[in-house]
Amino acid sequence: MRVAVIGGGPGGLYFAALAKQLSPDWEITLWERNARDDASGFGVVFSDETLDGIAQGDPEVFAAISAEFARWSDIDIHFGGEVRTSGGHGFAALDRNRLREVLQKRCAGLGVDVRYGTPAPPVGELSATHDLVVAADGVRSATREAFPAGFRPELDERHCRYMWLSTDRVFEAFTFIVEQRDFGVVQVHAYPYSDRRSTFIVELEEQAWRRAGFEALAGREFGRGESDEESVRRCEEILAAHLDGHRLIPNASRWIRFTTVRNASWRHGNVVLLGDAAHTAHFSIGSGTKLAMEDALALAASLHEHPTVDEALAAYESERRPVVESTQRAAQASLEWFETIGRYGGQGPDQFAFNLLTRSRRVTYGNLRARDAAFVDAVDGALAAADAGDGPPAGGTPGAGPAVPPMFRPLRLGGLTLRNRIVVPPLATYTAVDGVPGAFTQAQLTAQALGGAGLVFAGMTAVAPDGRATPGCPGLWNDAQEAAWRTVLGEIRRSSDTPIGIQLTHAGRRGPTEVPGPDGVGRPLGAGGWPAIAASALAWDRGHPVPRAATPAELAAVTADFAAAAARAGRAGFDALELQFGHGHLLSGFLSPLTNHRTDGYGGPLADRLRLPLEVLAAVRAAWPAGRPLIVRISAADWAEGGTTEEDAVAICRALADGGADAIDVSTGEVVAHQRPPYGRSYQTPFADLIRNTTGVPTIAVGAISGHDDANSILLAGRADLVAVGRAHLYDPLWTLHAAAEQGYAGPGAPWPGPWQAGRRKPPGPRADRVPPRLHLLRTEAPPVHRRWRPGQPARPVPAADSGAADSRAARSTASR
């Protein structure tokens, strides 16, 4: 085979070396436009997983690079004039230029034809004269641009400005610096990569970048390889306290915006993309070089395992795409967190440090506890002390044991105190007859009330007959329904004191449909249905009836229906009330510009689109008993072009809070049928975070949250005040109690019902009674939690006073290095 490789970075070189090892008779030619010795880039960080792959794929390369790694396990977070350190992470870094030298030598030894200082011929010509063309030509890939219809790229240029630099200050750990200055927040991502250098990335939000004076400094064209020296000197001035007399060292360094690269296909004929040409992931979550080298290994292996190039390229993309997309999801969450870092300025150093470490949702509360229990105990203790006023840290002192897990801390909402932070959201059963809840609704709510959650909601209860989504939805518009609900609550309270809430709604154009089948989709009801009203005469989807645009008189009747239902809910004995202003129901249809095309006082600008929801909220607030919590659910995003923006969502929630809402249940989507949500674990939580930390209004996080580890992470990071766990409670109505057992918690936040006390401990699993034999002659010491990069110095414990921490909590988590 004749193979052409475009680009002599680590990804292209590593692929060429691996492919030549597996197939020595292949003719592999690599073109690199830069000279062999041209320096580019700074440090590269590897994960243990990637290093295992290199060790297996090319032991010679692994031996050469591992001998020169900078290794450490700590992360230092500078915030608010203090430092917090978390250990147990494990990093290995290397000078990118040294890595390239090792790979260049390896390729030369294997007989790869590497042509330095030589631009590659046009990709079309290479494709015609070679069996395979591997394009490792970077984020600005000319190969990708040559075949846009084949690769179908999507380039998302982000908002912040950043600059790659190095420094001759050798940091001891991965270091995040976040400082509030007069021009805004400046942040640094720094890590050592040799005994003489550290990578030093400076990042600012666009407006802060302008106010800091960088726009004027960067306002000219720079030549190829030229650095913005004036901006570098300005960064040295701003960050002098962290450089400790050392300098910043540029290498083609200038201000850029990060571009997330995605491609619908990584291959076009016999041309395949590798590394940044195919995909990018934000530098805050990992190294592009790491991903490129993983690509190289997978591509070389696929070519070896499959008989044709076409089959090999299909296998390569099939294997790598899920891995890369998972990394990109985490990177996107991390990128967006750093873009909006200013919203967390009010957090204390402990909570901010935890928030930063868990930003991508890959690292969690339990994961951090396994790495560095003392760090998590310190954060737990600090937050518990803050919750209690200025009391002593609960469990945050050595020997006191772990603090109460965040999900089991109480919360006062309105006049109601919840024993923990877990909510069972409204879960429709579709078992009502004429709007009257029956035996199954009572059984489900009783089971969930006994299951330990702090608050349980009855779901999707219509305020009028034509406000139902399906014939099986419950209602609260007549005396029979009110009496039925009173009976349900009475039966529940015979065995549980868990607060029970109810969600009130008018389905609008989401009804009438049949009861959803196993696929969760409700088909139009057809004969036997009822006329639907909506903000505008827009059908929910093709095949659904077109609703009638509601008249002002009908809107006044809807407002009265909500108020009457709220009064009935209060008399029935519900402890909390939620209004459904999301998911495309009637009130949601007024809030979204995609579904509200009215030209009267209820449509147009956001203030007018808010008019009906605020009228309903005011009427309900007046009818609902004072002191009982009133919550509003919204869809903070429509997941469709032209829909609700983040600015809209913030303004909506501020208006709802001003109108009397005690908390916002922050959901997204289901507003239009053509939505494209990025489903994934806790994918809606960033919106609860946005609302809580921008407005100060308490929020409930909801959506694809099913594990107690995620719940604890969300709460301790300050992304929400409560966590709603829905489908997991259908799978296991005792989810909250089982979460307590798994965490070893047995306190007031998770009381087991008396008759079930014998089952409050997690049952032993298979082979739990097995005692393994000793199989090692000599015991191996566990690696230290805290390891610093101190080249030339033996590892040693460091006294707390020498840790650089600003108080005893940080000292406790940095005392052993």
Side-chain angles (χ1 to χ4, degrees), residues 373-374 377-378 393-402 808-809 811-813 815:
D377 283 349
T397 55
S808 61
R809 291 191 299 277
R812 284 196 297 275
S813 68

Side-chain angles (χ1 to χ4, degrees), residues 427-469:
L427 298 168
T429 64
Y430 304 109
T431 57
V433 177
D434 295 329
V436 177
F440 193 89
T441 295
Q442 179 176 305
Q444 175 172 296
L445 292 174
T446 301
Q448 291 164 347
L450 290 168
L455 176 62
V456 175
F457 275 104
M460 216 160 79
T461 304
V463 300
D466 62 354
R468 292 172 294 166

Side-chain angles (χ1 to χ4, degrees), residues 149-423:
F151 296 118
R152 303 189 300 284
E154 175 192 327
L155 307 181
D156 178 17
E157 187 175 70
R158 302 302 300 184
H159 316 304
C160 287
R161 302 274 187 155
Y162 72 99
M163 181 185 287
W164 282 89
L165 298 157
S166 70
T167 176
D168 55 0
R169 177 179 178 184
V170 181
F171 286 91
E172 296 185 357
F174 209 117
T175 302
F176 292 99
I177 300 167
V178 180
E179 282 193 352
Q180 179 68 52
R181 307 298 290 267
D182 56 354
F183 52 78
V185 176
V186 59
Q187 51 186 297
V188 172
H189 310 237
Y191 56 86
Y193 61 83
S194 74
D195 58 358
R196 299 181 300 112
R197 293 284 188 271
S198 298
T199 293
F200 197 90
I201 306 169
V202 183
E203 185 174 19
L204 295 99
E205 180 270 330
E206 177 77 14
Q207 293 306 313
W209 179 80
R210 294 176 187 275
R211 290 190 294 266
F214 288 113
E215 182 178 25
L217 301 179
R220 67 177 180 86
E221 289 292 323
F222 294 93
R224 187 168 181 268
E226 183 183 4
S227 293
D228 181 354
E229 296 282 356
E230 290 185 273
S231 287
V232 175
R233 302 288 80 81
R234 172 73 171 135
C235 287
E236 282 184 336
E237 294 171 7
I238 292 171
L239 296 160
H242 299 284
L243 290 169
D244 195 24
H246 294 268
R247 62 197 174 103
L248 293 177
I249 304 167
N251 182 343
S253 301
R254 61 192 73 168
W255 294 108
I256 53 178
R257 292 187 179 97
F258 185 81
T259 299
T260 300
V261 175
R262 299 180 180 88
N263 287 277
S265 175
W266 296 357
R267 54 199 170 94
H268 175 67
N270 66 340
V271 181
V272 65
L273 303 178
L274 184 149
D276 283 354
H279 48 73
T280 59
H282 193 250
F283 54 82
S284 63
I285 203 66
S287 161
T289 299
K290 164 192 172 298
L291 288 174
M293 292 183 71
E294 291 174 351
D295 282 356
L297 187 147
L299 178 57
S302 295
L303 289 164
H304 182 69
E305 292 166 353
H306 295 274
T308 68
V309 168
D310 190 59
E311 289 176 279
L313 298 189
Y316 157 69
E317 183 168 355
S318 176
E319 177 184 330
R320 282 296 291 164
R321 182 177 284 278
V323 177
V324 168
E325 289 180 347
S326 174
T327 300
Q328 286 189 312
R329 284 193 295 271
Q332 187 72 14
S334 180
L335 175 157
E336 292 173 358
W337 192 92
F338 280 110
E339 283 183 340
T340 58
I341 201 168
R343 74 171 66 143
Y344 306 114
Q347 293 188 332
D350 297 280
Q351 187 175 40
F352 180 86
F354 181 87
N355 194 355
L356 184 150
L357 292 170
T358 59
R359 66 194 180 278
S360 72
R361 303 194 287 275
R362 277 191 165 184
V363 177
T364 62
Y365 177 86
N367 185 269
L368 275 179
R369 179 171 289 286
R371 299 181 189 201
D372 187 351
F375 171 78
V376 177
D377 283 349
V379 182
D380 266 332
L383 268 292
D387 288 345
D390 287 323
T397 55
V404 173
M407 63 183 284
F408 293 116
R409 292 178 189 157
L411 176 72
R412 189 164 183 81
L413 191 62
L416 180 66
T417 298
L418 306 179
R419 63 174 170 245
N420 65 50
R421 306 296 184 100
I422 300 301
V423 175

Side-chain angles (χ1 to χ4, degrees), residues 501-718:
I502 189 169
Q503 183 194 71
L504 298 180
T505 189
H506 189 298
R509 70 182 193 136
R510 293 301 304 270
T513 69
E514 298 174 352
V515 170
D519 60 359
V521 177
R523 272 73 182 179
L525 191 57
W530 48 85
I533 59 171
S536 300
L538 301 170
W540 164 251
D541 201 1
R542 286 173 296 181
H544 286 246
V546 177
R548 186 176 69 256
T551 66
E554 288 172 319
L555 298 183
V558 166
T559 300
D561 288 340
F562 268 96
R568 289 184 182 277
R571 291 194 300 267
F574 283 101
D575 301 292
L577 179 66
E578 178 172 280
L579 301 177
Q580 172 61 292
F581 286 7
H583 292 181
H585 287 223
L586 180 62
L587 278 297
S588 170
F590 276 82
L591 290 172
S592 173
L594 295 178
T595 51
N596 185 342
H597 297 175
R598 299 175 75 99
T599 57
D600 61 5
Y602 290 97
L606 179 59
D608 290 347
R609 300 201 308 272
L610 267 164
R611 181 178 170 187
L612 179 64
L614 291 177
E615 288 175 352
V616 169
L617 177 60
V620 168
R621 182 78 271 182
W624 178 244
R628 299 191 203 177
L630 176 55
I631 300 160
V632 180
R633 172 174 280 199
I634 68 159
S635 286
D638 298 340
W639 303 121
E641 186 175 355
T644 299
T645 65
E646 288 190 358
E647 292 76 14
D648 290 341
V650 168
I652 289 168
C653 292
R654 282 200 171 110
L656 294 174
D658 290 343
D662 294 302
I664 307 296
D665 186 354
V666 187
S667 188
T668 66
E670 298 188 49
V671 175
V672 291
H674 62 277
Q675 65 175 359
R676 291 293 181 269
Y679 291 119
R681 198 174 105 247
S682 60
Y683 73 104
Q684 295 181 149
T685 298
F687 293 94
D689 184 343
L690 166 71
I691 301 306
R692 183 184 192 269
N693 288 293
T694 302
T695 69
V697 180
T699 61
I700 303 174
V702 64
I705 303 169
S706 58
H708 60 76
D709 199 16
D710 284 336
N712 282 326
S713 299
I714 290 165
L715 294 165
L716 192 58

